Amino acid sequence: MKKKIFAMIALLACFVTILSGCQSSTSSESVAKQANTVDTWSTIKKRGRVIIGLDDTFVPMGFRQKNGQLVGYDIDLAKAVFKQYGIKADFQPIDWNMKETELRNRTIDLIWNGYTITPARQKQLAFSRPYMANRQILVTKKKQNINSFAGMKDKTLGVQTSSSGASLLDEHPKMLKDYIKNQSPVMYDSFNNALMDLDANRIQGLLIDSVYAGYYIKHEKDPDSYQMTTGGFDGEDFAVGMRKGDKTMKRKIDNAFQKLANDGQLQKINEKWFGTNDNSLVKPDK
């Protein structure tokens, strides 16, 4: 009798486990379907705020000053865009490695933080029109005398986890990855930590966004101690990432970019953070 009872309990436990797995799978499929089909603009407009996910250490796009205040190019641009629609832009620091999951699960409404358009990302989400040009470059200390990607032979390279640089490193190993020590980079949660290790010679090179590198080095005590090397990686474009279902959101952001370019506000934001408007991909209508 006891054996029958134990057998029934075991069978019931298996059934519950299978059912739980089915529900989890169904739930994930439902979330993904909503992300691809539901347009949330009316909901965001009604609540009066949009939640923007970012890495708050990415200078000059979005970062914290010594007093803790969140500032940056993308902060100013996002505020200017949503001001046109009477919507407040709220910024939510996130684990950059989980950014697409956060977006899909609606923890955030947008990824807006020097976010590069890539084919892999385009399969998962939608993008606004590109607004800024960027590229991946190698940053080293001049004392290392590294003037090319090949100069990293048997040396240690740093790269940010889940960055476009990390993707390019894997997609085109012959350009840089095959040269570095053990053909494997050191992964970092933020460029800040990587740059500290570069200064301490714990790594000898860092693959990093040119926008970040240019701003960071310019504001260092000894900018001349750094070497920036452009290798064979193609240029990139920054854009705003959103769920595929948010077609109205895309249209509103794209239109706002053009209006900001036409009335001169975009140029002012570019010159405030970069001293130039050269990197901007949104030009005024003729």
Side-chain angles (χ1 to χ4, degrees):
M1 184 69 178
K2 288 183 179 180
K3 289 183 179 180
K4 289 184 177 181
I5 293 174
F6 287 143
M8 290 178 64
I9 292 173
L11 185 62
L12 181 61
C14 290
F15 177 74
V16 171
T17 300
I18 293 171
L19 182 61
S20 176
C22 290
Q23 289 175 335
S24 177
S25 176
T26 302
S27 177
S28 297
E29 291 176 0
S30 177
V31 168
K33 184 177 180 180
Q34 287 184 351
N36 288 332
T37 58
V38 177
D39 191 316
T40 64
W41 178 259
S42 60
T43 301
I44 290 170
K45 179 70 174 175
K46 185 176 180 179
R47 78 183 181 207
R49 66 188 184 97
V50 61
I51 303 171
I52 297 171
L54 80 166
D55 167 7
D56 62 357
T57 66
F58 192 178
V59 298
M61 310 310 284
F63 63 102
R64 294 195 183 277
Q65 294 180 314
K66 291 182 179 180
N67 63 4
Q69 182 180 0
L70 188 62
V71 298
Y73 178 92
D74 280 338
I75 306 299
D76 287 352
L77 182 56
K79 286 179 178 178
V81 163
F82 286 103
K83 184 179 180 181
Q84 297 186 30
Y85 304 111
I87 296 172
K88 182 178 183 292
D90 285 346
F91 300 92
Q92 176 64 51
I94 58 173
D95 179 349
W96 198 243
N97 196 35
M98 297 294 291
K99 54 190 175 298
E100 287 85 8
T101 301
E102 298 274 17
L103 181 68
R104 185 171 58 250
N105 291 344
R106 296 191 182 184
T107 308
I108 58 175
D109 299 309
L110 299 169
I111 302 171
W112 194 335
N113 190 212
Y115 191 43
T116 301
I117 301 173
T118 69
R121 289 171 176 172
Q122 285 177 314
K123 292 178 181 179
Q124 299 183 63
L125 59 148
F127 282 94
S128 70
R129 65 182 293 184
Y131 64 87
M132 179 172 289
N134 179 57
R135 70 182 311 117
Q136 295 299 314
I137 63 170
L138 176 67
V139 173
T140 58
K141 298 305 291 273
K142 281 186 178 177
K143 63 184 180 182
Q144 293 287 344
N145 198 30
I146 298 169
N147 302 308
S148 67
F149 280 8
M152 283 296 295
K153 183 173 176 58
D154 296 327
K155 292 180 170 60
T156 304
L157 177 77
V159 65
Q160 187 184 32
T161 302
S162 295
S163 64
S164 58
S167 297
L168 285 175
L169 196 68
D170 289 334
E171 291 166 8
H172 307 283
K174 291 183 179 180
M175 288 189 182
L176 179 56
K177 190 174 184 179
D178 287 352
Y179 290 115
I180 64 177
K181 187 176 181 180
N182 299 323
Q183 289 75 55
S184 181
V186 177
M187 308 302 293
Y188 291 91
D189 290 336
S190 74
F191 284 131
N192 279 359
N193 293 334
L195 284 158
M196 285 191 289
D197 276 3
L198 181 70
D199 288 336
N201 199 37
R202 285 186 283 268
I203 60 175
Q204 289 75 56
L206 175 62
L207 188 62
I208 185 172
D209 298 81
S210 59
V211 168
Y212 189 119
Y215 186 89
Y216 178 92
I217 292 171
K218 180 180 178 181
H219 290 81
E220 282 290 273
K221 291 182 180 179
D222 187 12
D224 290 335
S225 68
Y226 294 90
Q227 171 79 32
M228 292 191 288
T229 301
T230 302
F233 292 132
D234 292 336
E236 305 172 343
D237 293 338
F238 285 163
V240 184
M242 65 199 77
R243 292 177 289 267
K244 288 188 176 182
D246 279 320
K247 299 183 185 303
T248 304
M249 178 86 78
K250 172 178 168 53
R251 187 173 68 253
K252 295 289 186 179
I253 292 175
D254 289 351
N255 290 343
F257 280 167
Q258 194 59 58
K259 289 179 182 178
L260 291 172
N262 290 344
D263 66 17
Q265 289 188 66
L266 182 59
Q267 182 177 349
K268 289 180 180 178
I269 295 173
N270 284 320
E271 291 178 348
K272 171 185 174 179
W273 290 102
F274 300 105
T276 177
N277 196 45
D278 292 347
N279 286 343
S280 179
L281 297 175
V282 185
K283 304 299 182 183
D285 290 327
K286 293 182 180 180

